[in-house]
Amino acid sequence: MKNLLVALFSIIALASCSTYESEVPLGNPGDTELDDKFLGKWILSEEKKTEEVSGHIEIIPFNRQEYLVQIIEYADSTDYLESILNFRMFPSKIKKDIYYNLQMLGTDEKSSFLIYKLKAISGNRYKLLYLAKDHFEKQFNSTGEFRKYVESNQKEFNKTFMTEGVLSRKVEK
């Protein structure tokens, strides 16, 4: 069985062919308040499966405007830590929708932004949606230009998101 979390690592770390990359974020850090309900440990799984994964995603406050997202993977379902990827993330609210700007930390070159959305399912479960490169190809020179486009075309923009999986709060044993 292919590890579902490894699939997420690959998508984010390598900016897979299907994930849209932007040189500019959709908003600026601090434009939208952080929501404490997203802090903590999360598991990403496929929509229809609840299989065991060998890692988790931890979201902690990075500063007052941004989250630190750590993707933590363990080797072979053991306690041996295999890898940790660090990202900064901050929300951008446009009308009633909140989008999340995600950027990898620690790379030598300028890292692009990936855009995500969450759709509440129930309780501590959310559908994780990513902006798909196959459905959205526009590039923007500034955050203001990107934001203005989304404000004017939000309904069409929201149709360009695809399902990554389901985020569920990790239950500690």
Side-chain angles (χ1 to χ4, degrees):
M1 177 187 106
K2 192 172 185 178
N3 185 327
L4 301 176
L5 198 57
V6 171
L8 176 64
F9 293 160
S10 300
I11 288 170
I12 294 174
L14 303 175
S16 82
C17 296
S18 62
T19 305
Y20 175 83
E21 295 180 66
S22 177
E23 293 300 315
V24 297
L26 186 50
N28 294 308
D31 288 349
T32 303
E33 289 186 28
L34 300 182
D35 191 340
D36 290 346
K37 73 181 175 189
F38 296 122
L39 300 179
K41 295 179 182 177
W42 298 84
I43 300 292
L44 180 69
S45 61
E46 290 183 28
E47 255 185 300
K48 308 252 185 241
K49 297 184 181 180
T50 57
E51 297 168 345
E52 193 65 32
V53 294
S54 63
H56 66 272
I57 299 167
E58 187 160 358
I59 302 174
I60 57 179
F62 185 61
N63 55 42
R64 291 181 176 195
Q65 294 86 26
E66 300 169 293
Y67 298 104
L68 173 63
V69 177
Q70 293 186 312
I71 300 176
I72 302 166
E73 181 184 20
Y74 298 99
D76 302 323
S77 300
T78 66
D79 288 335
Y80 174 74
L81 186 62
E82 188 167 300
S83 66
I84 297 177
L85 296 173
N86 293 303
F87 298 85
R88 71 186 268 238
M89 180 176 76
F90 56 92
S92 296
K93 185 173 184 179
I94 299 179
K95 298 181 183 174
K96 293 181 181 181
D97 291 326
I98 297 178
Y99 305 95
Y100 294 90
N101 304 275
L102 194 69
Q103 183 181 42
M104 183 177 243
L105 296 173
T107 59
D108 291 338
E109 53 190 69
K110 185 178 178 186
S111 181
S112 58
F113 291 88
L114 307 175
I115 311 298
Y116 285 86
K117 282 181 61 170
L118 293 172
K119 181 178 179 183
I121 297 174
S122 64
N124 282 323
R125 295 183 69 230
Y126 298 87
K127 188 181 285 192
L128 179 65
L129 306 163
Y130 67 93
L131 183 57
K133 183 185 215 176
D134 297 339
H135 302 338
F136 190 77
E137 298 176 354
K138 298 184 182 310
Q139 291 295 323
F140 303 95
N141 295 317
S142 70
T143 296
E145 183 184 339
F146 194 2
R147 184 177 186 88
K148 186 175 181 179
Y149 172 82
V150 174
E151 287 172 342
S152 300
N153 303 282
Q154 195 161 13
K155 188 174 181 179
E156 293 80 21
F157 181 70
N158 285 338
K159 291 178 184 177
T160 63
F161 284 80
M162 303 299 295
T163 301
E164 180 76 43
V166 173
L167 276 175
S168 301
R169 174 87 52 197
K170 181 178 180 188
V171 178
E172 297 293 328
K173 296 179 183 178

